[in-house]
Amino acid sequence: MSSWDLPPDYPLSSDFVRRLKSALATGDKDMVQELICTEAEPVDAVIELANDDWMKEPSAQLPTGALLGLWTLEYKRELTTPLCIAAAHGHVLCVRHLLSRSADPDASPGGRGALHEACLGGHTACAQLLLQHGADPDLLNAEGLAPLHLCRTPASLGCAQALLEHGATVQLECGPDRVTPLHVAAQHGLDEHAQLYLARGARVDARNGRGETALSAACGAATRSPDEQARCLRLCALLLRGGAAADARDEDERSPLHKACGRARPSLCTLLLLHGADAGALDYGGASPLARALQTATCAPPAAQHRTVQALLNYGSPSVWPDAFPKVLRTCAQVPAVVEVLFNSYAQLRVSESWLEVVPEEVYQMHEPFYRSFFALAHTPRCLQHLCRSTIRKLFGKKCFYLVPHLPLPETLQKYLLLEPEGVLH
């Protein structure tokens, strides 16, 4: 019989658990330490902190999911030990005390051991103590993840270092997706963790169960704050310098560039293009990076909404099929710089006055100078300067970004050739 099946030493209904949960909820560190270090017996006592097994109580009100037929025959039950609680909250003195009483550093009745808890919380001193007392650095939790896979925050860098110093396997593939610690670092934008793992022999292009490399995982990860985006950019630059393939495809044939475009991250897209990413790559659904960039253009920072589209076109991405331009206009109408850059990538594209219907009136009014110049082209051919630009760009092809800056032209004309938006069309 497993620890899960045995009755806990302190069930949820006990006075001990009631006081412990109250102390945890109020942040009463002294009370938590008093309870788990002096009252809890034996030292590895199993403590039940939660149990939503409503099926054992006939009078219990059924949760909404069950009433809707969504019940999955599973319930949440949280079992833990004094050592796990101490490690989870960074109580170093308590961890040391419990270990001195021969607490088992690998005990995990709830599927997660004290070392897992320490790593999740980024409590380096606790992790070091546990490892010094024989904790298994590769112990898997109930989800099949090792402690290194739970180092998911900048604060956990010290835990990762301690784990590796005590023999943790840097290339261990864990969980249902068979991720390595490097994948985890990439998903969370942890550039210092990634540098540590690479220095310890992590394979830069190892693939997870979905065929993703660490670079692919990093490019597809959600980043919100400027600090997170900066860390992710440093991480991807580190991976590329370490030999990561800029164009590695996952099981859906999506490249890192597809994912960066889908996340509206122009600086990352430019970095990938500089390292040889294919601007015209198609995934299994037939979508190009440009298609992904156009879909998410409105999500990019206002000052850079057109940058990804501009970079892709300057690195040789085919433009949108002309008949599909009205769909682009409908999607990107509120970002006229994107419409301008894309429109200028055609030598000649006939403007239809019927397209006016897809531009909301309030958007037209907000950007009237641009849209007035745009729809004026329904009756006028493009100017000679634009036709010359198109000829030069066609001649340079995928090397526009590299060759245009070498032309003996003023900077303003170089920018013009590279589709820098002007705010109106000619």
Side-chain angles (χ1 to χ4, degrees), residues 116-124 147-161 181 184-194 196-197 227-228 231:
H116 297 117
E117 300 286 7
C119 291
L120 278 171
H123 304 305
T124 301
L148 267 183
H149 294 75
L150 301 182
C151 294
R152 299 170 177 171
T153 64
S156 67
L157 179 62
C159 295
Q161 291 172 325
V184 175
Q187 289 163 357
H188 293 85
L190 302 176
D191 55 317
E192 291 182 289
H193 287 65
L196 172 66
Y197 299 153
D227 181 58
E228 288 178 329
R231 283 205 316 267

Side-chain angles (χ1 to χ4, degrees), residues 228-240:
E228 288 178 329
Q229 294 183 15
R231 283 205 316 267
C232 183
L233 191 62
R234 291 196 299 268
L235 168 69
C236 291
L238 171 70
L239 293 171
L240 289 163

Side-chain angles (χ1 to χ4, degrees), residues 291-304:
R292 301 280 290 167
L294 292 170
Q295 290 168 358
T296 59
T298 57
C299 302

Side-chain angles (χ1 to χ4, degrees), residues 13-317:
S13 58
S14 65
D15 178 66
F16 176 89
V17 172
R18 180 188 61 76
R19 288 184 291 140
L20 176 60
K21 293 186 71 172
S22 175
L24 290 171
T26 58
D28 189 341
K29 182 177 179 179
D30 292 337
M31 178 57 72
V32 171
Q33 291 185 347
E34 173 73 17
L35 289 168
I36 63 177
C37 290
T38 63
E39 287 197 32
E41 290 292 345
V43 68
D44 288 325
V46 176
I47 302 168
E48 184 180 49
L49 290 182
N51 188 342
D52 66 356
D53 187 11
W54 47 268
M55 290 298 289
K56 292 182 178 179
E57 176 52 61
S59 63
Q61 183 177 357
L62 297 182
T64 304
L67 294 174
L68 294 175
L70 301 179
W71 180 48
T72 61
L73 298 179
E74 295 179 359
Y75 70 95
K76 293 180 181 178
R77 187 187 189 196
E78 184 179 354
L79 298 177
T80 188
T81 65
L83 187 60
C84 287
I85 294 173
H89 292 85
H91 298 331
V92 181
L93 295 178
C94 200
V95 168
R96 181 178 286 113
H97 172 75
L98 292 167
L99 290 170
S100 71
R101 294 177 57 204
S102 301
D104 182 357
D106 289 336
S108 53
R112 204 159 66 195
L115 191 53
H116 297 117
E117 300 286 7
C119 291
L120 278 171
H123 304 305
T124 301
C126 291
Q128 289 174 331
L129 272 173
L130 291 163
L131 289 163
Q132 289 165 7
H133 282 77
D136 181 356
D138 285 338
L139 180 70
L140 302 184
N141 66 8
E143 298 174 328
L145 299 177
L148 267 183
H149 294 75
L150 301 182
C151 294
R152 299 170 177 171
T153 64
S156 67
L157 179 62
C159 295
Q161 291 172 325
L163 287 164
L164 291 170
E165 288 168 2
H166 284 81
T169 305
V170 75
Q171 200 55 42
L172 194 63
E173 297 180 359
C174 288
D177 291 328
R178 302 202 323 273
V179 293
T180 67
L182 186 60
H183 282 101
V184 175
Q187 289 163 357
H188 293 85
L190 302 176
D191 55 317
E192 291 182 289
H193 287 65
Q195 187 171 13
L196 172 66
Y197 299 153
L198 291 171
R200 293 290 185 135
R203 296 198 302 273
V204 72
D205 274 338
R207 294 178 181 268
N208 64 17
R210 297 189 299 275
E212 294 177 311
T213 62
L215 179 64
S216 180
C219 292
T223 54
R224 296 173 179 83
S225 70
D227 181 58
E228 288 178 329
Q229 294 183 15
R231 283 205 316 267
C232 183
L233 191 62
R234 291 196 299 268
L235 168 69
C236 291
L238 171 70
L239 293 171
L240 289 163
R241 289 196 304 271
D247 210 34
R249 309 294 185 87
D250 65 14
E251 64 183 6
D252 295 317
E253 281 296 304
R254 291 195 181 97
S255 67
L257 186 58
H258 278 100
K259 296 182 180 183
C261 290
R263 290 293 183 182
R265 294 158 68 185
S267 298
L268 182 52
C269 293
T270 301
L271 176 68
L272 292 167
L273 289 165
L274 282 169
H275 283 81
D278 182 0
L282 299 180
D283 63 19
Y284 270 143
S288 67
L290 179 61
R292 301 280 290 167
L294 292 170
Q295 290 168 358
T296 59
T298 57
C299 302
Q305 289 172 315
H306 66 282
R307 292 298 178 198
T308 301
V309 174
Q310 184 181 10
L312 290 167
L313 293 168
N314 285 331
Y315 276 91
S317 170

